Amino acid sequence: MTNPQPIALVTTGGTIDKIYSLTGDLEIGEPAALEILSVVRPTVPVTAEPVLRKDSLDITDDDRQTLFERVEALPNTRVVITHGTDTMTDTAEYLRTHGTALADKTIVFTGAMQPASLRVTDSQFNLGTAFAAVQLLDPGIYLAMSGRVFPVGAVVKDRDRGQFVDLVVPEN
Amino acid sequence: MTNPQPIALVTTGGTIDKIYSLTGDLEIGEPAALEILSVVRPTVPVTAEPVLRKDSLDITDDDRQTLFERVEALPNTRVVITHGTDTMTDTAEYLRTHGTALADKTIVFTGAMQPASLRVTDSQFNLGTAFAAVQLLDPGIYLAMSGRVFPVGAVVKDRDRGQFVDLVVPEN
Amino acid sequence: MTNPQPIALVTTGGTIDKIYSLTGDLEIGEPAALEILSVVRPTVPVTAEPVLRKDSLDITDDDRQTLFERVEALPNTRVVITHGTDTMTDTAEYLRTHGTALADKTIVFTGAMQPASLRVTDSQFNLGTAFAAVQLLDPGIYLAMSGRVFPVGAVVKDRDRGQFVDLVVPEN
Amino acid sequence: MTNPQPIALVTTGGTIDKIYSLTGDLEIGEPAALEILSVVRPTVPVTAEPVLRKDSLDITDDDRQTLFERVEALPNTRVVITHGTDTMTDTAEYLRTHGTALADKTIVFTGAMQPASLRVTDSQFNLGTAFAAVQLLDPGIYLAMSGRVFPVGAVVKDRDRGQFVDLVVPEN
């Protein structure tokens, strides 16, 4: 069923990694996913690949190209990417449109609406959905958010509600 | 991909639900999965079905029959069951061997090595893996633990390490 | 020793009350001290007096006058005030210089360097120091921060270190 | 006011230090007070003195004698002792009746009704009350629990409510 092929955990920053600084600002801290996994102690091999450390509103297409090249260079066919929620669909779309070289990989984006540093947060749950999805799905690019797993292109963030939902394409 | 069919969340107690009582003992509290989901706010419908409230070492075959009947009666084809880890494989096996009536359902067991009431716990992550698995897998009975998703019969708890691993059947 | 005279808990916002909004910003939430006390269940009566809901950098002298009047009007002789750390000494000083009417009250300011909504925070500890101080000290105005209790006028926030220390007045 | 004389933190185990083991039992872990203080970063010197690591129901008079001797040997005049709640008053009483040698020390016992390893706990708040009390009070032996500071001999644990209250001595 779940062949325990090694998973690459690629981190880019985003809300999941936000911490509160001594100066009263939010900043991007160490990748929270690593601390979460140290608690879960998965029995599938995981390697960490920190690539960016940014609020996703600040991620540029140059950053996306860097991410693309780093993911392409990974030997893994299973890749979980933690990313800020505001442009998660944009980065996923970038990988899809630039990424025939990624065609043999299952890539699952996830993140959080509330930082992992909070007492109450969706970070751990979301990372869990991404870990199951990356092991169960065929190659492709997906988003694991709001308790669901969406294929790239079929999902949108409802900013008012802070939830990821199906992208409904209006019919003509 | 992930057709948002309603998920039934069946709770039975176990470590995930343990709380610390005023008398200094551990007891089974309210289903932790409900509080976790209230934070995640999934965009797939979920209904809660509390069935048992027991340490899994105390679960009997009568309890398992009750669980079987309750799951069978559910209209849902997607069922997540939170359960103590010590006999999770036993209960899953019971459902498999007694359950041709469950043949159209995807049933995913999960739980935790550390109670959800703790500051540091695997509860949220594990529930996340179960939620993805129940939406992505064909009918059958599975365990989502230790960052993986195992089919019933192919998994065992390594009690010394507190981890779920592949059940290795020795060859003759 | 600790005469259980009723304590008034006056809240003004500040880091202790900061929460993470769905839009990715920090905002001032409900008074965290109330939730903390609901866990501690003190055996001394406490009444809550929410007065302001502001980052302390935004607190004006008009706000301080409002706070002064509200504290003066309280029947309590023991008052704990939660407040942002950046101008906590300013507000304490304002009460001291405007407040002969407060001369019979023991007033203890406290707050936090890390919001109470975080998994790891100084909020609960600091509130505890304030609760002990307000019950043990003679009338006057104090700050309880960084594990100590300082009289107003003898304390300063070291912004680089995020700690409250003795105000050292250089000799001539 | 609060002369920053060094505080000795003496730890003995108890609920505050309880953790959940892989075998599903509660056990006494590392002193939680040290981790709490690492977050608060007090600007008063603190040294740690781990003496016992026991549930307070298991603490014997031999243990209490050991504790007495260790506290007596400390150079500090300010001592905070973390201790299980069930026999905290007994140990405090033991120190009082055996301890003229402790007459120059301010000793404050504290602990928790809920382990510090929990997401929701009174541990941090209680340690805060003890830290303020030990710096503000004259020599003597005290308990800081339930939001108050009691002198030894004037306090009792109400086991049904899980709270510390005034010991009421019936009049004749």
Side-chain angles (χ1 to χ4, degrees):
Chain A
M1 171 56 47
T2 60
N3 195 343
Q5 294 176 20
I7 297 171
L9 172 68
V10 175
T11 59
T12 69
T15 290
I16 192 172
D17 289 344
K18 281 188 187 165
I19 58 174
Y20 191 78
S21 74
L22 286 182
T23 53
D25 298 313
L26 292 166
E27 57 186 38
I28 307 290
E30 297 296 316
L34 295 180
E35 190 185 339
I36 294 169
L37 291 175
S38 75
V39 176
V40 172
R41 298 183 300 133
T43 52
V44 49
V46 182
T47 52
E49 302 283 339
V51 173
L52 297 171
R53 202 163 162 161
K54 284 193 168 185
D55 190 311
S56 78
L57 291 174
D58 301 327
I59 288 183
T60 64
D61 275 357
D62 280 353
D63 293 327
R64 293 187 174 99
Q65 183 60 27
T66 299
L67 178 64
F68 167 72
E69 290 167 9
R70 291 285 292 272
V71 171
E72 185 188 14
L74 289 171
N76 307 68
T77 57
R78 304 188 185 285
V79 181
V80 169
I81 302 178
T82 59
H83 194 288
T85 60
D86 281 320
T87 67
M88 187 187 287
T89 55
D90 299 331
T91 301
E93 190 67 22
Y94 186 98
L95 291 199
R96 183 172 74 89
T97 52
H98 292 69
T100 54
L102 306 179
D104 66 332
K105 295 184 192 292
T106 302
I107 298 172
V108 182
F109 283 81
T110 195
M113 299 305 300
Q114 295 277 326
S117 58
L118 290 180
R119 198 152 43 99
V120 176
T121 167
D122 54 339
S123 302
Q124 291 88 350
F125 182 98
N126 294 350
L127 190 63
T129 57
F131 258 68
V134 84
Q135 295 175 79
L136 297 174
L137 287 170
D138 289 331
I141 300 176
Y142 309 89
L143 271 72
M145 289 295 293
S146 298
R148 294 181 60 195
V149 185
F150 304 90
V152 60
V155 55
V156 65
K157 179 180 173 184
D158 179 332
R159 290 173 199 283
D160 292 334
R161 298 188 177 178
Q163 292 177 308
F164 282 74
V165 295
D166 292 305
L167 174 63
V168 178
V169 183
E171 300 180 33
N172 287 330
Chain B
M1 171 56 45
T2 61
N3 193 343
Q5 294 176 19
I7 297 171
L9 171 68
V10 175
T11 60
T12 69
T15 290
I16 190 172
D17 289 345
K18 281 188 186 165
I19 58 174
Y20 191 78
S21 74
L22 285 182
T23 54
D25 298 313
L26 292 167
E27 56 186 38
I28 307 290
E30 296 297 316
L34 294 180
E35 190 185 338
I36 294 169
L37 291 175
S38 74
V39 176
V40 172
R41 299 182 301 132
T43 52
V44 50
V46 182
T47 53
E49 301 285 336
V51 172
L52 298 171
R53 201 163 162 161
K54 284 192 168 185
D55 190 310
S56 79
L57 291 173
D58 300 328
I59 288 183
T60 65
D61 276 357
D62 280 353
D63 293 327
R64 293 188 174 99
Q65 184 60 27
T66 300
L67 178 64
F68 166 72
E69 291 167 10
R70 291 285 293 272
V71 171
E72 187 188 13
L74 289 170
N76 307 69
T77 58
R78 305 189 184 284
V79 181
V80 169
I81 302 178
T82 60
H83 194 286
T85 60
D86 281 320
T87 68
M88 188 187 286
T89 55
D90 299 332
T91 302
E93 191 66 22
Y94 186 98
L95 291 198
R96 182 172 74 91
T97 53
H98 292 69
T100 53
L102 305 180
D104 66 331
K105 294 183 193 294
T106 302
I107 299 172
V108 182
F109 283 80
T110 195
M113 299 305 300
Q114 297 277 326
S117 57
L118 291 180
R119 198 152 41 100
V120 176
T121 168
D122 54 339
S123 302
Q124 292 86 350
F125 182 98
N126 294 349
L127 190 64
T129 57
F131 258 68
V134 84
Q135 294 175 80
L136 297 175
L137 286 169
D138 290 331
I141 300 176
Y142 309 89
L143 271 73
M145 288 296 293
S146 297
R148 294 182 58 196
V149 185
F150 305 90
V152 61
V155 56
V156 65
K157 178 180 172 184
D158 179 332
R159 290 174 199 283
D160 293 335
R161 297 189 177 178
Q163 291 176 308
F164 282 74
V165 294
D166 291 304
L167 175 64
V168 178
V169 183
E171 301 179 30
N172 287 330
Chain C
M1 172 55 46
T2 59
N3 196 342
Q5 293 176 21
I7 297 171
L9 172 68
V10 175
T11 59
T12 70
T15 290
I16 192 172
D17 289 344
K18 283 188 187 165
I19 58 174
Y20 191 78
S21 74
L22 285 183
T23 53
D25 298 313
L26 292 166
E27 56 186 39
I28 307 290
E30 296 297 315
L34 295 180
E35 189 185 339
I36 295 169
L37 292 174
S38 75
V39 176
V40 172
R41 298 183 302 134
T43 53
V44 50
V46 182
T47 51
E49 302 285 338
V51 173
L52 298 171
R53 202 162 161 162
K54 284 194 168 185
D55 190 311
S56 80
L57 290 174
D58 300 328
I59 288 182
T60 64
D61 275 357
D62 280 353
D63 293 326
R64 294 189 173 97
Q65 184 59 28
T66 300
L67 178 64
F68 166 72
E69 290 168 11
R70 291 285 293 271
V71 171
E72 186 188 13
L74 290 170
N76 306 69
T77 58
R78 305 187 186 284
V79 181
V80 169
I81 303 177
T82 59
H83 195 286
T85 60
D86 281 321
T87 67
M88 188 188 287
T89 55
D90 299 331
T91 301
E93 191 67 23
Y94 186 98
L95 290 199
R96 184 171 73 90
T97 53
H98 292 69
T100 54
L102 306 179
D104 67 332
K105 295 184 193 293
T106 302
I107 298 171
V108 182
F109 283 81
T110 195
M113 300 304 300
Q114 296 277 326
S117 57
L118 290 180
R119 199 152 42 100
V120 175
T121 167
D122 54 339
S123 302
Q124 292 88 349
F125 183 98
N126 294 350
L127 189 64
T129 57
F131 258 68
V134 84
Q135 294 175 80
L136 297 174
L137 287 169
D138 290 331
I141 300 176
Y142 309 89
L143 271 72
M145 288 295 293
S146 297
R148 295 182 58 196
V149 185
F150 305 90
V152 61
V155 56
V156 65
K157 178 180 172 183
D158 179 331
R159 290 173 199 282
D160 293 335
R161 297 188 178 179
Q163 291 176 308
F164 282 74
V165 295
D166 293 304
L167 174 65
V168 179
V169 183
E171 299 179 31
N172 287 330
Chain D
M1 172 57 46
T2 60
N3 194 344
Q5 294 176 19
I7 297 171
L9 172 69
V10 175
T11 59
T12 70
T15 290
I16 191 172
D17 289 344
K18 282 188 187 164
I19 58 174
Y20 191 79
S21 75
L22 285 183
T23 53
D25 298 313
L26 292 166
E27 56 186 38
I28 307 290
E30 297 296 316
L34 295 180
E35 189 184 339
I36 295 169
L37 291 175
S38 75
V39 176
V40 173
R41 299 183 300 132
T43 52
V44 49
V46 182
T47 52
E49 302 284 337
V51 173
L52 298 170
R53 200 162 163 163
K54 283 193 169 185
D55 190 310
S56 79
L57 291 173
D58 300 328
I59 287 182
T60 66
D61 276 358
D62 280 353
D63 292 327
R64 294 189 173 97
Q65 184 59 26
T66 299
L67 178 64
F68 166 72
E69 291 168 9
R70 291 285 293 272
V71 171
E72 186 188 12
L74 290 170
N76 306 69
T77 57
R78 305 188 185 284
V79 181
V80 169
I81 302 178
T82 59
H83 194 288
T85 60
D86 281 320
T87 69
M88 188 187 286
T89 55
D90 299 332
T91 301
E93 191 67 22
Y94 186 97
L95 291 198
R96 182 171 73 90
T97 53
H98 291 70
T100 54
L102 306 179
D104 66 332
K105 294 184 192 294
T106 302
I107 298 172
V108 182
F109 283 82
T110 195
M113 299 305 300
Q114 295 278 326
S117 57
L118 290 180
R119 198 152 43 99
V120 176
T121 168
D122 55 339
S123 301
Q124 291 87 349
F125 182 97
N126 293 351
L127 190 64
T129 57
F131 258 68
V134 84
Q135 295 176 79
L136 296 174
L137 287 170
D138 290 331
I141 300 176
Y142 309 88
L143 271 72
M145 288 295 294
S146 297
R148 294 183 57 197
V149 185
F150 305 90
V152 61
V155 56
V156 65
K157 178 180 172 182
D158 180 331
R159 290 174 198 282
D160 292 335
R161 297 189 178 178
Q163 291 177 308
F164 282 74
V165 294
D166 292 304
L167 175 64
V168 178
V169 183
E171 299 179 32
N172 287 330

